[in-house]
Amino acid sequence: MSALRANRPLYRQFHVRMAAIAAVAACMVLPAQAQSLVEIYEAARAYDATYLSARSQYEANLARAQQAKAGLLPQAGVSAGANWNDRNSSVNALDGSFNSQNVTLSASQPLYRPANRAASEQGELAVEVAKAQLQAAEQELIVRTTQAYFDVLAAQDTMTFVQAQKAAVAEQLAAAKRNFEVGTSTVTDSREAQARYDLVQAQEIAAENDLRVKKLALDQLVGRSGVSPKPLMVPVALPALSPADPEAWVREAEQRHPTIQQAAKGLDIARLETAKAEAGHKPTLDLVGQYQVARAPSSSANIPGYVRNNTGTIGLQFNLPLFAGYAIQNRVKETVALEEKARTDLEAARRGVTQATRSAYFGVLSGQGQVKALEAAEASSQSALEANQLGYQVGVRINIDVLNAQSQLFQTKRDLAQARYNVLLGGLRLRQASGQLAPDDLRPIDAMLAR
């Protein structure tokens, strides 16, 4: 008991240090102008090259879709010509050089062109496909931004816990050296503590480098330097799954997921492509009109000089294909096969989305269970450390027991912090898998961040 009394000040210092460490780990000091998740997402949305590329592709797809409507709209054009001629006629009076000019305005309006009608409908479907593609790109950006945000926080947590463990091991090393000097412990205690201290130093170097890399990745995503994400408040109440039924998420995914929407519209486009191919056998009918102004010398000796003719015509133009060397028949066979491929692609998309949604749901469920288990493990590890520390003071535990208990406690703290991030990120991935993810889904996470 004398040894215990002698080392009680050290024991109390250890608990004070542990309390300070816990406070730092729970609520790290916020740097000036730390950014929330929503703020960082908005910055990434305006800078990220992958998303901006998808945005430009979306605008290009809209313009391409509008081009398909041209086949149903009027067409008009103006042509002009000028000719210089030298005429040598058997009638000497008609010999000579002359020039002629003409200007023609022509227009046409498709009346019956089934292939053009199908192409116009394909353009409307292509707009829906473009919207789905942009939605998928936006959802992916939300997940990537949140992943990068939490990667930095996890790296900061690791750095904090490693430094706290280093301080605790340093205290244990100092205590072991003092006890050895007074003859109450062996040199083994000092060497074990020194080995653990050296190991923690190596871990600190690795954690520092990992934090630097994660910060660079986040900076690159938003196009800024020195981005400082706000940490989670601890303790934090993680949101429960709602609805708590994987099949409800699957049903939502089948209706809203961008991949399924793209595949479904792709099947409709493939059907229209078959209709276009079959239209190769059908006639076409156009309304055509033309107005021409021509000036040329008279071709009659009785009418000298130049003559100007104004000619206007309007009518219907009918065309019926009879034989195209079996090109149309083989084109139909090709489009029918591609239509079947699109149908199979749609089924594959549904299966893939269904599997991903269920996996994401059970991943979040498992993560929530891990958080609860690790919270209990943290409390147990804390108690175990205190018991081993007390046992070491009274001589029933050796130094390595305390060092192992310290290592277990800080490892549990790191795992718990990472598990919380995984649950929040998993919730976003679940909404992405079910096609529901939107920027507003980041606001509930923002509410959990330190002010």
Side-chain angles (χ1 to χ4, degrees):
M1 295 298 296
S2 58
L4 176 59
R5 294 190 186 93
N7 290 296
R8 274 179 179 170
L10 177 62
Y11 185 55
R12 294 192 186 98
Q13 290 176 9
F14 176 80
H15 278 281
V16 170
R17 179 65 63 87
M18 288 297 297
I21 290 170
V24 172
C27 294
M28 291 181 296
V29 177
L30 292 177
Q33 298 183 356
Q35 292 86 26
S36 68
L37 181 55
V38 171
E39 291 171 340
I40 288 182
Y41 167 73
E42 292 297 337
R45 197 170 185 268
Y47 180 80
D48 181 65
T50 302
Y51 176 75
L52 293 179
S53 174
R55 183 86 187 176
S56 298
Q57 184 63 56
Y58 167 73
E59 294 172 355
N61 290 344
L62 292 183
R64 185 184 300 118
Q66 292 298 320
Q67 296 173 34
K69 297 181 178 179
L72 298 178
L73 300 178
Q75 307 290 321
V78 175
S79 62
N83 300 293
W84 287 264
N85 307 276
D86 182 58
R87 183 166 59 191
N88 187 3
S89 175
S90 58
V91 180
N92 293 334
L94 299 178
D95 289 349
S97 298
F98 64 91
N99 58 69
S100 61
Q101 303 86 29
N102 66 83
V103 177
T104 303
L105 172 65
S106 59
S108 66
Q109 169 63 56
L111 298 179
Y112 180 72
R113 283 185 175 270
N116 292 12
R117 174 65 63 183
S120 178
E121 293 176 4
Q122 284 181 319
E124 294 174 359
L125 292 172
V127 172
E128 299 301 320
V129 171
K131 290 180 180 177
Q133 290 173 340
L134 182 61
Q135 181 185 7
E138 185 178 54
Q139 292 182 352
E140 182 62 27
L141 177 63
I142 293 172
V143 172
R144 287 193 292 113
T145 303
T146 307
Q147 177 74 71
Y149 189 96
F150 285 157
D151 281 348
V152 173
L153 291 183
Q156 288 176 343
D157 290 342
T158 299
M159 188 68 182
T160 299
F161 294 139
V162 168
Q163 290 176 342
Q165 184 178 5
K166 178 181 177 182
V169 172
E171 288 185 357
Q172 196 66 25
L173 174 59
K177 289 181 177 179
R178 283 194 297 270
N179 291 338
F180 174 70
E181 290 173 357
V182 298
T184 58
S185 67
T186 64
V187 71
T188 304
D189 287 347
S190 298
R191 292 176 178 175
E192 287 173 344
Q194 184 65 54
R196 187 61 59 89
Y197 183 81
D198 294 340
L199 176 61
V200 173
Q201 277 191 313
Q203 292 173 346
E204 182 183 23
I205 294 172
E208 184 178 6
N209 181 69
D210 183 61
L211 176 58
R212 185 182 300 111
V213 171
K214 294 299 192 302
K215 283 186 173 181
L216 287 174
L218 184 59
D219 290 348
Q220 183 179 1
L221 181 65
V222 301
R224 301 176 184 175
S225 59
V227 176
S228 301
K230 295 181 180 180
L232 282 177
M233 293 186 295
V234 178
V236 59
L238 297 177
L241 275 176
S242 179
D245 176 17
E247 298 311 312
W249 290 93
V250 170
R251 287 192 296 270
E252 190 70 22
E254 290 176 346
Q255 296 177 3
R256 300 179 57 177
H257 198 282
T259 300
I260 294 180
Q261 291 180 353
Q262 291 179 56
K265 299 303 180 184
L267 176 57
D268 293 338
I269 291 174
R271 287 170 178 160
L272 289 171
E273 192 65 29
T274 300
K276 282 173 58 179
E278 293 172 342
H281 292 296
K282 298 178 181 180
T284 62
L285 180 64
D286 298 326
L287 175 66
V288 296
Q290 180 176 289
Y291 185 80
Q292 183 183 62
V293 178
R295 179 180 179 275
S298 172
S299 60
S300 173
N302 299 325
I303 305 176
Y306 282 81
V307 177
R308 189 180 72 178
N309 295 311
N310 297 346
T311 306
T313 60
I314 187 170
L316 297 175
Q317 183 172 318
F318 177 82
N319 181 49
L320 177 64
L322 298 178
F323 181 69
Y326 302 106
I328 296 175
Q329 290 90 331
N330 286 293
R331 174 59 181 162
V332 171
K333 290 180 181 179
E334 177 190 359
T335 57
V336 168
L338 292 175
E339 183 180 336
E340 184 61 28
K341 176 183 180 298
R343 186 175 291 105
T344 304
D345 290 343
L346 174 57
E347 182 60 27
R350 284 174 176 161
R351 294 174 184 177
V353 167
T354 297
Q355 176 65 23
T357 302
R358 289 196 178 102
S359 298
Y361 177 87
F362 290 116
V364 175
L365 207 62
S366 173
Q368 290 177 335
Q370 288 180 352
V371 168
K372 292 180 180 179
L374 286 169
E375 287 174 344
E378 181 184 28
S380 300
S381 298
Q382 183 69 49
S383 299
L385 176 58
E386 293 172 359
N388 276 279
Q389 180 70 23
L390 180 60
Y392 177 70
Q393 301 298 334
V394 299
V396 297
R397 284 288 187 269
I398 60 175
N399 194 46
I400 192 62
D401 294 330
V402 177
L403 295 173
N404 289 338
Q406 289 174 347
S407 178
Q408 179 180 339
L409 173 61
F410 290 114
Q411 181 62 50
T412 303
K413 287 180 177 291
R414 284 197 297 268
D415 293 344
L416 176 57
Q418 185 64 62
R420 289 190 178 115
Y421 300 140
N422 290 343
V423 168
L424 294 174
L425 182 60
L428 296 181
R429 291 191 184 278
L430 175 57
R431 298 190 68 82
Q432 180 190 25
S434 62
Q436 304 178 55
L437 185 60
D440 285 342
D441 293 320
L442 297 177
R443 299 194 181 279
I445 298 179
D446 254 16
M448 304 177 191
L449 301 177
R451 295 292 183 264

